[in-house]
Amino acid sequence: MTRWRPLPDALPREARHLVEQLRQLKDRTDLSLAELARRTAYSKSSWQRYLSGAKQPPRGAVRALCRVAGADQARLLALWELADPVWPYGPVGPSVPPRIPADGVPGAVASEAVAAAVPGPEHRRWRAAALVAFAVIVLLVAGVLWAWPSGSE
């Protein structure tokens, strides 16, 4: 059985419960993280992040661990559904005490403004799609210009 480090205090209760259940399931398999990585589509370092609570495991990782362990997926996927909306974005670590800025805006208002300014996963998906679309357009224009007959024949 693996000796697990304590989960971060900032991890919400639902996320903590999911990670604890995933840890128990992993321990039940008696597999090392390297062996678990070989049997799933997720790397050893990814499993370390998921099982330490540093990163939210993707739904597919939960399914893969259930499949390897021969466990019921429905129960753990239900836990994943509960943890998904409350999982903190970015690294989970010790919380930094809020600073009061020089302009006198209270810390709670400032931290709400910062939280609103941080892009969520939906924004990241749109940004990635826009970058891919831009790259495709640039390649198409370059191809057309390259194939375009020059006027000097």
Side-chain angles (χ1 to χ4, degrees):
M1 187 159 143
T2 307
R3 274 188 68 142
W4 298 105
R5 290 188 176 170
L7 292 171
D9 292 335
L11 202 60
R13 182 176 48 96
E14 294 87 351
R16 179 179 297 276
H17 187 61
L18 172 64
V19 173
E20 288 169 349
Q21 294 300 309
L22 292 174
R23 285 177 169 186
Q24 286 178 7
L25 198 56
K26 188 259 177 211
D27 286 343
R28 219 172 62 192
T29 65
D30 283 332
L31 296 175
S32 66
L33 290 175
E35 184 61 31
L36 182 60
R38 277 191 288 279
R39 294 186 185 201
T40 64
Y42 301 90
S43 68
K44 176 183 171 185
S45 59
S46 292
W47 282 114
Q48 286 172 329
R49 288 189 296 272
Y50 304 151
L51 296 173
S52 70
K55 189 165 194 275
Q56 180 181 12
R59 192 178 172 88
V62 174
R63 277 195 194 114
L65 181 56
C66 288
R67 182 180 36 79
V68 168
D72 179 33
Q73 290 185 14
R75 187 173 144 279
L76 275 159
L77 290 174
L79 291 175
W80 186 91
E81 291 291 335
L82 291 172
D84 182 49
V86 298
W87 199 285
Y89 296 107
V92 177
S95 58
V96 178
R99 293 185 303 150
I100 297 178
D103 62 3
V105 177
V109 174
S111 57
E112 286 175 14
V114 169
V118 175
E122 190 65 30
H123 175 73
R124 282 179 251 167
R125 282 189 215 112
W126 279 105
R127 184 173 54 199
L131 288 172
V132 168
F134 179 73
V136 168
I137 290 169
V138 167
L139 289 172
L140 286 174
V141 168
V144 166
L145 291 176
W146 179 74
W148 197 274
S150 62
S152 60
E153 285 188 37

